[in-house]
Amino acid sequence: MKQAINDFIVRFANVNGTGSASANSLFAKTIFRMGIPVTPKNIFPSNIQGLPTWYEVRVSEKGYLGRREGIDLMVSVNPQSMEKDVKSVKSGGYFMYDSTKKLPAPYFREDIHYLGIPMMEMSNGAFADPRKRQLLKNIIYVGALVKLLSMDVEEVRQLIREQFEGKQQLIDANMQALQLGMDYVEGHFDYPLSFHLERRDLIGDKIMVDGNTASGLGAVYGGATVMAWYPITPSTSVAEAFEHYCKEFRIDPDTGEHKFAIIQAEDELAAMGMVIGANWNGARGFTATSGPGVSLMNEFLGLAYFAEVPAVLIDVQRAGPSTGMPTRTQQSDLLLAAYASHGDTKHVLLIPSSPQECFELTAMSFDLAERLQTPIMVMTDLDLGMNDHVSEPFHWDDNRKYDRGKVLSAEELEHIGKFGRYLDVDGDGIPYRTYPGTHPTKGSFFTRGTSKDEYAAYTEDGAAYKRNMDRLIKKWDTAKKLVPSAQLYQKENQSELGMLFFGTSQYSAEEANDLLQEEGLKIDAIRIKAFPFGSEVEEFVASHRLVFVIEQNRDAQMRKMIIMELETSPSKLIPVLNYDGMPITADAIKSQITQFLTLEKTQPHELSKTTL
Amino acid sequence: MSYLKPLFRHPKLPKNKLGYTLKEYEGSLSTLCAGCGHDSISAAIVQACFEMSVEPHHVAKISGIGCSSKTPTYFLGNSHGFNSVHGRMPSVATGASMANKDMVYFGVSGDGDSASIGMGQFVHVIRRNLNMVYIVMNNGCYGLTKGQDSATADQGSKSKAGSINPFQAIDLASMAIELGASFVAQSFSGDKQQLVPLIKAAMHHKGFAFLNVISPCVTFNNNPGSTKSYDYVREHIEATSTLDFVPEMPEITASYEKGKSTKIALHDGSLIQLNKLETDWDPEDRISAVNALQQARIKNEILTGLLYVNAEWKDLHGVLNTYHKPLNRLDEADLCPGEDNLQAINARFR
Ligand SMILES: Cc1ncc(C[n+]2csc(CCOP(=O)(O)OP(=O)(O)O)c2C)c(N)n1
Ligand code: SF4
């Protein structure tokens, strides 16, 4: 193994429900505080207690925050998964385990190093309370890692003090366990290992936070007052975060009254209904859910689209179909969300890549929903939502005003001859609305899912229906100009090859691009941030011979949307996919692209015939 | 009650406290079948709102899907209405109420809408004691989809298709009391004398006010073999078009003493027995109310009047302790914690 500084992967194998999460994040957070880019990922089962759970931490001096294959150090504290865990270590890597019990002979490999530490025995000897023994065993291995990887112990201690502030007994016990781990390494192993940490200044003012917390906070800043939701992994913590920050900032200090209403609905249908009711009545309402919830919300989404009621939905995607893999990540709700509900519908999607974007795009979604009078879906995923990410910090311009869209006041109504709820007054497809209760005699209208004329009167007249549907498409064109543009990685196209990605594929795609460039292959890149696609996406696709579309689903859903919406030739869009429920890796992207290009060279005729 | 509304109004029409005549509370022309009970209920709502002197635009009318759910178009034309999706009116009403606590919310639903597809939402809106008037226009069948049995149809009753309903009926009023509705009443669409005051009381009540109103459907008695069936009528008239034919029926009305019961003949000649509650009925006694409903059921009677009320329970806004100003009127200053707080939050994530 070559000597490596700040460039390795540690994986922890634990048992769900044994308190390992806080020890593992203590490890990752320490590296972050040492100024080194780090990405932790939870790999957890759909189970509360007892099943194997993993936590993978990638340290990358170059700042690559996506996943990479290969485990350099496995910290194995789960006998259940040990056999598999031993196998997953890279040749020349390390296997740390609890040597309280002897490691069975078949688990020995010639090509890796073993680091046996009697964690349970040490913990039992030091602590009386059985629950504490369990928890502090985890801190013992953190202590061992401090020495083995030359972590900054003062940072670890500071984090422990912060975590257990005011609970001196717990602080003392944790400090003791930490020291036990450190001392054991000192007495038994050579350290640091062949890869280790060195303090850097690569983090700047960045923060480390999960996307769901950022979305919940974004909703507070975006002025949401009504949240209706139904628990579902991995979206639940959006509601929790929203509630947390509302309680911090939105309770009237004098009266204790709440400037928000959060309702745990009876199901997702009700949650969406409440969001629509709130928005119809002039409040910013939103919900957070995942695939199965979006399925249930379909009918209501169609109503909101057709009746033109704003609504915000944060879809934290997980692996489907059906219940799928509830605790694994995917980008497989795109088609469901974009075309949710029966009939001709299209919905605006925003696709963040980082917690900072979760914050920003969630806040923006309320402006867009009101401006466009339509549902906006923020498409995050489990990887972004539930894992900590190093991210740009959040910012808010205090002069920023909420865009409440085209809403007529009582005075404005006074000056209008005849109010037409669905009249295209400005030619942008967006009509004017009024909130209920605005004016005693003017501006009231009937909201319905059935077809209506410009004055909101029920009609089955085909021409009126068609006019309405055509106006909705005009509004869709307006939306193209309002949604965030795609991120272009270079101004001028320098290659005939392009790669297109979105959401959490960003980091791995960027890394893959660098890896390919190192091998002499130049590929232009674009990151989509929204649907409908802006003209820059159209131009990018048009100006490249081949575009690799990177996504985390089986059916290449984004590729299909591009083909449908831009009416592009399918043969120029090459799918690069990963759908095993784990975040896509740079290696996977690189190998699929090189494989395609090699094949293309050897069998050019065959390939041009296939529509991939 | 579908009629052409005369444009001209006599200048001496009675006015309410706000100076409005009944006209200000009317809606557009009904397209329901002539003689539909739902229209009578709409008229009762108009009357009640007029007499209560509510500002029409301070009322929001929300409904699901069905003939009954169409009625919000036919009353309070100066109010915003929302005809949402089948069975989900309660959630839309809940969201609307959360946005603005200062309005009066009328929810209109059918027995199919509330007792079948929307049962889940019906149950939960009660549980939350949302401050609204919830009216089920109960005709024991699906009107808009033409006569299938609904879950409130009596066991043994004959559907339009001629089949006998083998299932027990869901009794929405007992259920509402059981689930903790803080106001439960039952009435008959034709009994304006009883219905109007009940609607007024329901509007006055701060909390969930449920009104189960028996509302006969003109077309629901179109059984084969009946001389009023589609087939029979088609065979006996000169068809001028292939449009559905719906026999025109006079509105059924009833007026009778408290404590008494009366038999009402529906359009198909079948009878329902209504039983008006005694004058000394104690509507704050939940157990008696449930008992009385069960007793009436055994006797095949429909108990009418205010069955139960509890003015003590907090409504949803009370439970959630929402701000005194409606949430839809709050702005950046109320809602946005600002950049300084955000920087402090950033610091927590370092
Ligand atoms: C999801 C869905 N399923 C079915 C329907 C068709 N549908 C429309 S109205 C209705 C029943 C209406 O019955 P009820 O609520 O009793 O009202 P009524 O017409 O009798 O007043 C049904 C089944 C629908 N609109 N939506
Ligand atoms: S079908 Fe029945 S419920 Fe519907 S409008 Fe006609 S009479 Fe009324």
Side-chain angles (χ1 to χ4, degrees), chain A residues 54-96:
Chain A
W54 292 272
Y55 187 79
E56 192 177 283
V57 180
R58 179 176 183 190
V59 184
S60 168
E61 175 106 356
K62 285 189 184 154
Y64 291 132
L65 299 173
R67 265 190 82 227
R68 199 200 74 196
E69 312 280 352
I71 293 152
D72 300 295
L73 166 61
M74 172 68 81
V75 180
S76 171
V77 257
N78 184 3
Q80 250 182 300
S81 63
M82 210 174 258
E83 192 174 354
K84 193 174 150 197
D85 294 336
V86 169
K87 285 186 190 144
S88 63
V89 180
K90 244 162 110 174
S91 191
Y94 296 83
F95 186 78
M96 183 198 284

Side-chain angles (χ1 to χ4, degrees), chain A residues 29 32-33 159 162 204-209 213 217 220-226 244-245 248-250 252 255-267 269-283 299-300 303 307 309 359 392-398 400-404 434-450 458, chain B residues 20 24 55-63 65 69-101 103 105 117 120-125 127-128 130 316-317 319-325 327-350:
Chain A
K29 193 76 187 264
F32 172 77
R33 287 211 178 163
L159 279 164
E162 287 171 23
D205 68 345
K206 290 202 179 75
I207 55 174
M208 187 150 102
V209 65
T213 299
L217 186 62
V220 173
Y221 273 77
T225 51
V226 180
H244 174 90
Y245 291 114
E248 186 171 348
F249 298 112
R250 295 259 198 88
D252 188 275
T255 60
E257 290 168 350
H258 296 184
K259 294 174 187 172
F260 61 92
I262 299 171
I263 301 181
Q264 185 185 320
E266 56 270 31
D267 52 35
L269 293 106
M272 197 64 213
M274 290 174 195
V275 170
I276 289 174
N279 279 283
W280 172 74
N281 214 0
E299 188 189 22
F300 258 136
L303 172 79
V309 182
F359 172 83
E392 292 298 325
F394 309 132
H395 278 293
W396 190 263
D397 173 4
D398 284 331
R400 180 165 160 177
K401 289 272 165 230
Y402 297 146
D403 179 358
R404 306 302 312 260
T434 58
Y435 298 152
T438 302
H439 193 284
T441 54
K442 291 181 122 183
S444 76
F445 65 92
F446 216 83
T447 305
R448 45 162 63 83
T450 39
Y458 174 77
Chain B
Y20 294 142
E24 270 80 24
E55 280 282 7
H57 69 296
H58 285 162
V59 178
K61 317 163 286 185
I62 303 168
S63 62
I65 296 291
S69 290
K70 284 183 169 189
T71 60
T73 324
Y74 316 138
F75 58 82
L76 301 183
N78 284 328
S79 306
H80 275 61
F82 197 155
N83 199 190
S84 63
V85 294
H86 198 20
R88 325 285 176 203
M89 171 274 282
S91 61
V92 178
T94 304
S97 166
M98 289 305 98
N100 187 352
K101 70 204 309 187
M103 294 183 51
Y105 294 92
I117 191 167
Q121 298 211 341
F122 175 70
V123 164
H124 286 274
V125 73
R127 219 184 115 233
R128 296 191 184 103
L130 188 73
L316 184 54
H317 276 288
V319 173
L320 296 179
N321 193 21
T322 49
Y323 202 50
H324 55 276
K325 227 161 109 179
L327 296 179
N328 70 350
R329 268 182 237 152
L330 303 184
D331 58 17
E332 290 84 353
D334 284 305
L335 301 175
C336 187
E339 171 73 356
D340 287 350
N341 280 314
L342 196 54
Q343 291 318 312
I345 292 171
N346 279 331
R348 293 180 207 162
F349 299 128
R350 288 200 175 106

Side-chain angles (χ1 to χ4, degrees), chain A residues 367-499:
Chain A
D367 285 349
L368 276 177
E370 292 206 292
R371 169 57 48 189
L372 291 164
Q373 299 177 23
T374 200
I376 308 288
M377 286 180 255
V378 183
M379 307 297 290
T380 78
D381 61 21
L382 181 141
D383 179 20
L384 179 53
M386 288 187 75
N387 287 320
D388 277 338
H389 294 261
V390 174
S391 162
E392 292 298 325
F394 309 132
H395 278 293
W396 190 263
D397 173 4
D398 284 331
N399 296 319
R400 180 165 160 177
K401 289 272 165 230
Y402 297 146
D403 179 358
R404 306 302 312 260
K406 298 185 187 182
V407 181
L408 295 174
S409 65
E411 301 79 66
E412 285 165 329
L413 281 166
E414 281 296 339
H415 297 106
I416 283 177
K418 193 178 175 198
F419 166 66
R421 165 67 179 107
Y422 296 105
L423 271 178
D424 189 4
V425 178
D426 303 324
D428 56 2
I430 307 169
Y432 284 80
R433 66 174 183 145
T434 58
Y435 298 152
T438 302
H439 193 284
T441 54
K442 291 181 122 183
S444 76
F445 65 92
F446 216 83
T447 305
R448 45 162 63 83
T450 39
S451 71
K452 55 253 162 191
D453 67 12
E454 284 78 353
Y455 296 92
Y458 174 77
T459 181
E460 288 176 22
D461 174 52
Y465 168 82
K466 191 168 169 297
R467 278 201 306 279
N468 194 28
M469 291 301 282
D470 291 344
R471 182 180 52 75
L472 286 168
I473 278 298
K474 206 182 217 184
K475 182 157 101 172
W476 182 252
D477 288 333
T478 304
K480 288 180 188 164
K481 294 172 214 133
L482 298 179
V483 297
S485 314
Q487 177 187 351
L488 278 163
Y489 281 73
Q490 60 276 325
K491 286 209 177 66
E492 274 153 46
N493 299 327
Q494 294 163 22
S495 169
E496 55 166 13
L497 301 177
M499 71 161 64

Side-chain angles (χ1 to χ4, degrees), chain B residues 8-307:
Chain B
F8 172 77
R9 292 289 155 135
H10 197 278
K12 286 203 179 118
L13 272 180
K15 288 185 174 161
N16 66 10
K17 269 197 263 167
L18 297 171
Y20 294 142
T21 63
L22 210 57
K23 185 178 178 314
E24 270 80 24
Y25 294 88
E26 285 170 354
S28 56
L29 187 66
S30 171
T31 58
L32 301 183
C33 316
C36 176
H38 300 352
D39 277 332
S40 316
I41 303 172
S42 299
I45 294 172
V46 168
Q47 187 71 28
C49 290
F50 167 74
E51 288 177 15
M52 290 278 284
S53 291
V54 288
E55 280 282 7
H57 69 296
H58 285 162
V59 178
K61 317 163 286 185
I62 303 168
S63 62
I65 296 291
C67 299
S68 36
S69 290
K70 284 183 169 189
T71 60
T73 324
Y74 316 138
F75 58 82
L76 301 183
N78 284 328
S79 306
H80 275 61
F82 197 155
N83 199 190
S84 63
V85 294
H86 198 20
R88 325 285 176 203
M89 171 274 282
S91 61
V92 178
T94 304
S97 166
M98 289 305 98
N100 187 352
K101 70 204 309 187
D102 284 355
M103 294 183 51
V104 177
Y105 294 92
F106 261 99
V108 178
S109 179
D111 42 323
D113 202 64
S114 278
S116 288
I117 191 167
M119 181 54 101
Q121 298 211 341
F122 175 70
V123 164
H124 286 274
V125 73
I126 293 175
R127 219 184 115 233
R128 296 191 184 103
N129 200 23
L130 188 73
N131 186 14
M132 73 179 294
V133 180
Y134 190 117
I135 299 180
V136 168
M137 303 187 174
N138 192 339
N139 54 15
C141 77
Y142 287 9
L144 200 66
T145 48
K146 304 193 171 180
Q148 301 82 2
D149 277 336
S150 84
T152 65
D154 287 320
Q155 195 170 20
S157 73
K158 206 175 190 181
S159 82
K160 186 189 131 192
S163 57
I164 305 292
N165 175 25
F167 304 110
Q168 292 182 49
I170 287 175
D171 182 342
L172 290 173
S174 316
M175 218 171 130
I177 297 175
E178 176 67 27
L179 289 164
S182 49
F183 179 111
V184 179
Q186 217 155 225
S187 191
F188 175 64
S189 61
D191 187 356
K192 240 184 163 173
Q193 246 175 346
Q194 185 190 51
L195 187 52
V196 173
L198 281 180
I199 295 173
K200 285 161 74 173
M203 286 167 70
H204 190 71
H205 177 71
K206 192 165 173 359
F208 189 80
F210 177 60
L211 282 164
N212 184 40
V213 187
I214 308 303
S215 175
C217 168
V218 190
T219 61
F220 124 85
N221 49 14
N222 252 308
N223 308 329
S226 155
T227 52
K228 294 184 186 79
S229 72
Y230 281 25
D231 289 347
Y232 184 91
V233 177
R234 276 204 196 99
E235 275 168 30
H236 291 83
I237 59 161
E238 280 292 302
T240 52
S241 77
T242 52
L243 289 178
D244 279 344
F245 174 76
V246 177
E248 193 156 316
M249 290 287 174
E251 173 190 358
I252 301 170
T253 56
S255 168
Y256 59 109
E257 292 290 292
K258 285 193 179 168
K260 296 273 162 52
S261 67
T262 186
K263 281 198 171 69
I264 307 273
L266 296 185
H267 299 296
D268 63 348
S270 64
L271 297 177
I272 56 167
Q273 178 126 358
L274 302 178
N275 187 342
K276 215 172 266 194
L277 287 166
E278 296 283 353
T279 33
D280 61 353
W281 175 256
D282 176 9
E284 293 190 10
D285 184 344
R286 198 170 169 193
I287 293 167
S288 304
V290 176
N291 263 336
L293 279 168
Q294 300 293 342
Q295 293 295 340
R297 198 156 159 191
I298 292 166
K299 289 190 275 175
N300 278 328
E301 284 180 357
I302 298 159
L303 209 54
T304 69
L306 176 58
L307 302 168

Side-chain angles (χ1 to χ4, degrees), chain A residues 294-595:
Chain A
V294 185
S295 288
L296 284 177
M297 290 170 183
N298 260 253
E299 188 189 22
F300 258 136
L301 286 167
L303 172 79
Y305 172 81
F306 196 46
E308 299 178 69
V309 182
V312 169
L313 186 166
I314 296 166
D315 178 6
V316 190
Q317 298 169 89
R318 60 190 221 183
S322 187
T323 322
M325 292 198 286
T327 59
R328 300 299 150 100
T329 198
Q330 245 173 27
Q331 300 175 315
S332 53
D333 294 351
L334 288 179
L335 286 167
L336 165 73
Y339 304 107
S341 192
H342 52 279
D344 292 324
T345 50
K346 292 190 210 227
H347 301 288
V348 176
L349 312 180
L350 302 179
I351 315 174
S353 273
S354 65
Q356 191 277 332
E357 285 189 354
C358 284
F359 172 83
E360 189 53 49
L361 295 186
T362 301
M364 177 197 274
S365 68
F366 293 97
D367 285 349
L368 276 177
E370 292 206 292
R371 169 57 48 189
L372 291 164
Q373 299 177 23
T374 200
I376 308 288
M377 286 180 255
V378 183
M379 307 297 290
T380 78
D381 61 21
L382 181 141
D383 179 20
L384 179 53
M386 288 187 75
N387 287 320
D388 277 338
H389 294 261
V390 174
S391 162
E392 292 298 325
F394 309 132
H395 278 293
W396 190 263
D397 173 4
D398 284 331
N399 296 319
R400 180 165 160 177
K401 289 272 165 230
Y402 297 146
D403 179 358
R404 306 302 312 260
K406 298 185 187 182
V407 181
L408 295 174
S409 65
E411 301 79 66
E412 285 165 329
L413 281 166
E414 281 296 339
H415 297 106
I416 283 177
K418 193 178 175 198
F419 166 66
R421 165 67 179 107
Y422 296 105
L423 271 178
D424 189 4
V425 178
D426 303 324
D428 56 2
I430 307 169
Y432 284 80
R433 66 174 183 145
T434 58
Y435 298 152
T438 302
H439 193 284
T441 54
K442 291 181 122 183
S444 76
F445 65 92
F446 216 83
T447 305
R448 45 162 63 83
T450 39
S451 71
K452 55 253 162 191
D453 67 12
E454 284 78 353
Y455 296 92
Y458 174 77
T459 181
E460 288 176 22
D461 174 52
Y465 168 82
K466 191 168 169 297
R467 278 201 306 279
N468 194 28
M469 291 301 282
D470 291 344
R471 182 180 52 75
L472 286 168
I473 278 298
K474 206 182 217 184
K475 182 157 101 172
W476 182 252
D477 288 333
T478 304
K480 288 180 188 164
K481 294 172 214 133
L482 298 179
V483 297
S485 314
Q487 177 187 351
L488 278 163
Y489 281 73
Q490 60 276 325
K491 286 209 177 66
E492 274 153 46
N493 299 327
Q494 294 163 22
S495 169
E496 55 166 13
L497 301 177
M499 71 161 64
L500 182 154
F501 46 87
F502 56 95
T504 45
S505 311
Q506 177 183 4
Y507 304 112
S508 294
E510 286 172 358
E511 182 177 0
N513 204 341
D514 288 356
L515 294 174
L516 289 162
Q517 184 150 13
E518 277 167 26
E519 294 184 5
L521 195 65
K522 180 120 190 58
I523 305 186
D524 299 328
I526 185 170
R527 176 166 70 93
I528 285 180
K529 289 204 235 176
F531 178 68
F533 308 123
S535 53
E536 71 286 359
V537 180
E538 202 163 348
E539 281 155 26
F540 185 88
V541 172
S543 59
H544 289 87
R545 181 176 68 85
L546 288 178
V547 177
F548 296 96
V549 184
I550 298 159
E551 42 190 323
Q552 304 180 46
N553 58 61
R554 184 194 68 182
D555 291 347
Q557 299 193 15
M558 179 61 87
R559 175 177 175 268
K560 293 206 164 84
M561 285 163 67
I562 295 169
I563 292 168
M564 283 192 289
E565 298 294 325
L566 303 185
E567 296 181 14
T568 332
S569 157
S571 59
K572 79 185 295 181
L573 300 174
I574 316 304
V576 174
L577 307 172
N578 181 71
Y579 46 95
D580 60 3
M582 292 295 287
I584 195 166
T585 61
D587 322 70
I589 296 168
K590 186 189 149 194
S591 70
Q592 287 184 54
I593 291 177
T594 41
Q595 217 175 353

